[in-house]
Amino acid sequence: MTSQVSSPAEQADGTVVGEQRTAAGTKDVRRLDRVIIRFAGDSGDGMQLTGDRFTSETASFGNDLSTLPNFPAEIRAPAGTLPGVSSFQLHFADHDILTPGDAPNVLVAMNPAALKANIGDLPRGAEIIVNTDEFTKRAMQKVGYDASPLEDGSLDGYHLHPVPLTTLTVEALKEFDLTRKEAERSKNMFALGLLSWMYHRPTEGTEKFLRSKFAKKPDIAAANIAAYRAGWNFGETTEDFAVSYEVAPAATAFPPGVYRNISGNLALSYGLVAASRQADLPLFLGSYPITPASDILHELSRHKNFGVRTFQAEDEIAGIGAALGAAFGGSLAVTTTSGPGVALKSETIGLAVSLELPLLIVDIQRGGPSTGLPTKTEQADLLQAMYGRNGEAPVPVVAPKTPADCFDAAVEAARIALAYRTPVFLLSDGYLANGSEPWRIPELEELPDLKVQFAQGPNHTTSDGAEVFWPYKRDPHTLARPWAVPGTPGLEHRIGGIEKQDGTGNISYDPANHDFMVRTRQAKVDGIAVPDLQVDDPDGDARLLVLGWGSTYGPITAAVRRIRKEGGRVAQAHLRHLNPFPHNLGEVLRGYDKVVIPEMNLGQLATLVRAKYLVDAHSYNQVNGMPFKAEQLATVLKEAIDD
């Protein structure tokens, strides 16, 4: 299964660079600088597992990568239908990349529905590997094929590889004591083996994974490994695949360090654990399961050894109520949800604003409104996070830009919550949550010190000389109130949602006091220390600034690179802090003739920017449940430059 590259003379366009000697003869090896593969099939075909395993091996090989899982909201959509198609796209390269790619170079289609749902995304000349066993008359009619697309000439513009994956898998497993249906379930491993041969992916990790996953069913583990190896051997021996490909490790793309592949939700979970350890506080998660945030609950429940307590509540309101109680009790408190859950949590978020306690509200955004598109991505909860509460209830908002950046964003959100005694929104989305990329594991000394000092005794002297504790006496620099752990003698104080008197925390209906408290809470958020906005403008003479936030970072940056490669001048800036904005944002915006803001909503950041800075920012919006494509944004930015 090894290959020999006989010549280093090679170009990124995929020219032949060597020969692979196999039992069937000699096969060409071509080196590519990048590849985009999409696995697609029925929601029961294991495409997410297949893509995940290919991704893990690609990460261990040292390529830079970016992924886009895409699957139905139904637990088990109708088999063989277009709504039931599940796919996993992976972009990997020998250089720094930022997106899962605009269009696949290779499509693996496990059935007619998978082919029909994805063929429109393929450029001419792309490779298509189809499981011919599934192209029965009934299966094709179910998705609207009157004739077989494998025979009617409609795929003549592509490199078609018809492979009877099911038959080959069953044949490879005939020595195992499995029913035909049980054997057929391993066809995704056969496909994975074939693609692993085509792109010279390591195999040891996948075989180890299968042994671990099916440790209690060793026969099933052995069958899956056999199917995986059969797929590899098929690629090596069949005449239909005359070429295999190499994508070298991205040796210069990463700073020195230890790396691992990580998804956004996993990185966010690790960030929360790291923040709790740096703060020397127990971590409490009060949560109700909801797509696409549930993985955070699953992951944090595994880390009791780090002082993590997870509570799966009966509903969204109970989840945040428990979290706020944990914050009152001295924990780093978190609640996780998506847009519909934020709506239910809004009253308790307002209570947290009034109580001025640290609380992280993690919103993994998805398509809305209402139940919307549970497994599709969107970034349309920004205005809800900013204003979705009664009264004046300001809350800081932080947004990660990549899956790996979810770690740092979680630590930053915790810093703000703890230092300023305030609830904080952390706005991720489904694209970041489920996507993955290489992540450099930070050294401990790189993490900030988040330790807080709880109130220990009286902090105020009354006019008669008495030493008392005032729960709303503020730090002059941060305007944060003291954090008093229940049970500390002498620190008893009122809590609740009714307005507090400044200093004493007693109930107050005084109009002047209410005005003062509202303005003070707003001033506390406005005064949060956040870094200045960094602008990427290499020549310093761009007239156009493209401003983004959240998961649009990858597509925007890829589009900007394309324009600059063609000689165009464009500046780029990306916001992590959405409330408060960086202090220099207004100055940055006024430094350019045009500002374009791409968002996966109908212009929510653009609305905020226009209102606050009176800048004629132009929106470019998309709300189709999918991330932007780099070429799509490049076209928009070129038009803005030329206009």
Side-chain angles (χ1 to χ4, degrees), residues 319-331:
I320 191 173
L324 184 56
F328 179 59
S331 293

Side-chain angles (χ1 to χ4, degrees), residues 583-600:
H583 295 300
N584 68 330
L585 177 56
E587 178 185 352
V588 168
L589 294 171
R590 288 186 287 271
Y592 294 89
D593 296 342
K594 297 178 184 177
V595 177
V596 174
I597 303 179
E599 298 181 79
M600 293 187 294

Side-chain angles (χ1 to χ4, degrees), residues 224-239:
N224 277 282
I225 292 171
Y228 178 62
R229 291 175 177 174
W232 179 289
N233 292 334
F234 177 77
E236 191 172 58
T237 58
T238 183
E239 294 182 2

Side-chain angles (χ1 to χ4, degrees), residues 18-272:
E19 296 177 343
Q20 184 180 44
R21 303 188 183 281
T22 72
T26 301
K27 292 193 175 186
D28 293 335
V29 179
R30 295 181 183 176
R31 186 175 299 160
L32 305 174
D33 63 347
R34 65 187 184 96
V35 176
I36 304 168
I37 298 174
R38 183 181 297 177
F39 298 94
D42 193 69
S43 57
D45 284 338
M47 293 296 93
Q48 302 306 316
L49 175 62
T50 305
D52 182 68
R53 290 315 311 160
F54 196 95
T55 299
S56 295
E57 298 295 359
T58 297
S60 69
F61 188 71
N63 296 118
D64 196 9
L65 62 90
S66 179
T67 68
L68 177 62
N70 187 16
F71 43 87
E74 291 81 9
I75 294 174
R76 186 67 172 92
T81 64
L82 292 174
V85 173
S86 174
S87 68
F88 188 105
Q89 183 163 308
L90 166 69
H91 182 191
F92 61 103
D94 65 2
H95 57 277
D96 177 32
I97 57 172
L98 299 154
T99 75
D102 289 357
N105 307 116
V106 182
L107 171 67
V108 180
M110 303 296 280
N111 60 17
L115 178 64
K116 187 158 191 176
N118 292 282
I119 190 66
D121 293 337
L122 266 64
R124 289 295 189 181
E127 292 195 74
I128 304 175
I129 301 171
V130 295
N131 180 14
T132 56
D133 289 325
E134 296 297 323
F135 279 72
T136 63
K137 184 176 181 180
R138 184 172 181 272
M140 289 187 289
Q141 288 178 342
K142 189 181 289 189
V143 295
Y145 281 129
D146 296 325
S148 173
L150 309 184
E151 300 171 356
D152 65 3
S154 60
L155 301 179
D156 287 349
Y158 306 94
H159 295 295
L160 180 65
H161 301 279
V163 181
L165 288 172
T166 306
T167 299
L168 291 171
T169 302
V170 172
E171 178 66 20
L173 303 184
K174 63 183 180 181
E175 64 184 72
F176 293 87
D177 186 21
L178 301 173
T179 65
R180 180 179 176 86
K181 187 174 183 180
E182 289 172 334
E184 288 178 359
R185 290 175 182 162
S186 296
K187 62 181 180 290
N188 64 323
M189 287 297 104
F190 188 101
L192 177 59
L194 172 58
L195 269 292
S196 296
W197 172 85
M198 284 182 65
Y199 291 97
H200 296 238
R201 299 297 91 184
T203 62
E204 294 81 3
T206 293
E207 294 191 8
K208 182 179 179 181
F209 167 83
L210 291 170
R211 291 190 186 96
S212 174
K213 181 176 177 63
F214 299 107
K216 295 181 179 180
K217 299 179 179 179
D219 290 345
I220 299 298
N224 277 282
I225 292 171
Y228 178 62
R229 291 175 177 174
W232 179 289
N233 292 334
F234 177 77
E236 191 172 58
T237 58
T238 183
E239 294 182 2
D240 191 38
F241 292 90
V243 178
S244 66
Y245 304 91
E246 285 187 345
V247 180
T252 61
F254 308 117
V258 178
Y259 285 80
R260 59 156 294 167
N261 183 49
I262 201 165
S263 69
N265 273 350
L266 184 57
L268 198 153
S269 300
Y270 287 175
L272 294 174

Side-chain angles (χ1 to χ4, degrees), residues 253-558:
F254 308 117
V258 178
Y259 285 80
R260 59 156 294 167
N261 183 49
I262 201 165
S263 69
N265 273 350
L266 184 57
L268 198 153
S269 300
Y270 287 175
L272 294 174
V273 174
S276 76
R277 303 321 300 151
Q278 292 301 103
D280 198 21
L281 296 174
L283 177 65
F284 180 90
L285 173 66
S287 181
Y288 180 75
I290 184 172
T291 302
S294 300
D295 286 342
I296 301 171
L297 171 61
H298 301 159
E299 181 60 34
L300 289 180
S301 68
R302 299 186 176 103
H303 297 291
K304 297 180 180 65
N305 57 314
F306 286 112
V308 179
R309 297 181 179 90
T310 53
F311 170 56
Q312 181 174 320
E314 65 268 30
D315 56 39
E316 296 281 6
I317 297 171
I320 191 173
L324 184 56
F328 179 59
S331 293
L332 175 58
V334 184
T335 189
T336 53
T337 189
S338 190
V342 173
L344 293 168
K345 296 177 188 289
S346 61
E347 183 179 4
T348 308
I349 297 172
L351 176 59
V353 172
S354 175
L355 295 180
E356 300 189 44
L357 287 171
L359 173 67
L360 300 184
I361 305 106
V362 178
D363 178 5
I364 312 297
Q365 300 166 94
R366 71 189 202 189
S370 188
T371 307
L373 302 173
T375 59
K376 309 301 180 185
T377 196
E378 205 165 274
Q379 49 176 183
D381 293 350
L382 176 57
L383 294 183
Q384 180 179 225
M386 288 285 292
Y387 303 118
R389 296 163 293 284
N390 64 297
E392 295 288 345
V395 174
V397 180
V398 175
K401 62 184 181 180
T402 69
D405 188 51
C406 289
F407 178 92
D408 295 321
V411 173
E412 172 65 359
R415 176 192 73 84
I416 293 172
L418 294 171
Y420 294 88
R421 312 286 198 270
T422 177
V424 177
F425 261 101
L426 181 55
L427 289 184
S428 180
D429 62 41
Y431 171 38
L432 296 183
N434 296 315
S436 59
E437 66 176 352
W439 171 58
R440 187 181 70 84
I441 301 172
E443 299 293 337
L444 188 60
E445 57 269 19
E446 296 174 18
L447 300 177
D449 183 354
L450 302 181
K451 290 184 177 63
V452 295
Q453 191 69 42
F454 291 116
Q456 299 297 325
N459 62 355
H460 183 75
T461 304
T462 62
S463 57
D464 61 1
E467 297 288 325
V468 298
F469 174 67
W470 274 16
Y472 282 82
K473 185 169 185 175
R474 301 180 182 278
D475 182 294
H477 301 291
T478 64
L479 298 182
R481 78 175 187 91
W483 193 359
V485 176
T488 307
L491 303 190
E492 298 85 359
H493 60 281
R494 292 179 180 272
I495 62 169
I498 297 178
E499 184 63 278
K500 314 294 186 298
Q501 184 183 53
D502 177 42
T504 68
N506 295 329
I507 291 174
S508 174
Y509 295 98
D510 177 59
N513 177 78
H514 176 60
D515 183 272
F516 178 81
M517 293 295 279
V518 167
R519 294 179 185 275
T520 300
R521 288 189 288 262
Q522 183 65 59
K524 180 173 68 170
V525 172
D526 291 342
I528 291 172
V530 303
D532 280 349
L533 181 65
Q534 299 297 310
V535 182
D536 178 19
D537 187 357
D539 299 316
D541 59 354
R543 296 173 53 247
L544 171 68
L545 171 71
V546 54
L547 179 68
W549 70 278
S551 66
T552 57
Y553 173 78
I556 289 174
T557 306

